[in-house]
Amino acid sequence: MEPSVVELVAAMKEAVASNPALKSKFNAAVEFQLSGSDGFFLDISKSGKEKPDLVVIATLEVFHKLLNKKLTPQQAFMQGKLKIKGKMGLAMKLTLILNATRKVLQKQRSRL
């Protein structure tokens, strides 16, 4: 069973909190807009930001494919399944967030 938006948000926030190296590698704020849900803001910066440097727009189904490695962010973007607003260089680093989130979700599943 795929995680809900609420579970994804919790996993992403846990991934950021448990991985300080992620802040130094990414150092930006991201707003995720997944269809059928309210957008959520994820601050992965060293200084704490109020406005996103990057806005990621996708369906929940596409996001699940990204997390399950059935689709890369680059493929999703080129196919029009993932829309990006903001700094394109940060979009290239989305894999860092996805990998950290994937690890958290795998830990949660193994506990069940």
Side-chain angles (χ1 to χ4, degrees), residues 16-57:
V16 170
S18 65
N19 190 349
L22 194 58
K23 284 190 177 194
S24 64
K25 290 178 184 175
F26 202 80
N27 195 27
V30 184
E31 180 181 332
F32 290 91
Q33 296 178 1
L34 301 179
S35 62
S37 71
D38 294 330
F40 63 94
F41 185 79
L42 190 63
D43 186 3
I44 316 168
S45 67
K46 297 175 191 172
S47 59
K49 296 187 176 195
E50 294 180 19
K51 290 187 177 182
D53 298 298
L54 181 68
V55 178
V56 178
I57 304 165

Side-chain angles (χ1 to χ4, degrees), residues 36-96:
S37 71
D38 294 330
F40 63 94
F41 185 79
L42 190 63
D43 186 3
I44 316 168
S45 67
K46 297 175 191 172
S47 59
K49 296 187 176 195
E50 294 180 19
K51 290 187 177 182
D53 298 298
L54 181 68
V55 178
V56 178
I57 304 165
T59 64
L60 186 57
E61 179 185 352
V62 167
F63 211 77
H64 286 149
K65 287 181 180 181
L66 292 169
L67 284 171
N68 292 323
K69 292 187 175 182
K70 293 181 180 172
L71 192 63
T72 67
Q74 292 81 7
Q75 289 170 328
F77 179 78
M78 296 303 282
Q79 294 172 13
K81 295 178 180 180
L82 180 74
K83 292 182 176 42
I84 301 291
K85 293 180 183 175
K87 298 179 180 177
M88 191 56 72
L90 292 174
M92 301 302 286
K93 295 181 182 181
L94 270 178
T95 307
L96 296 171

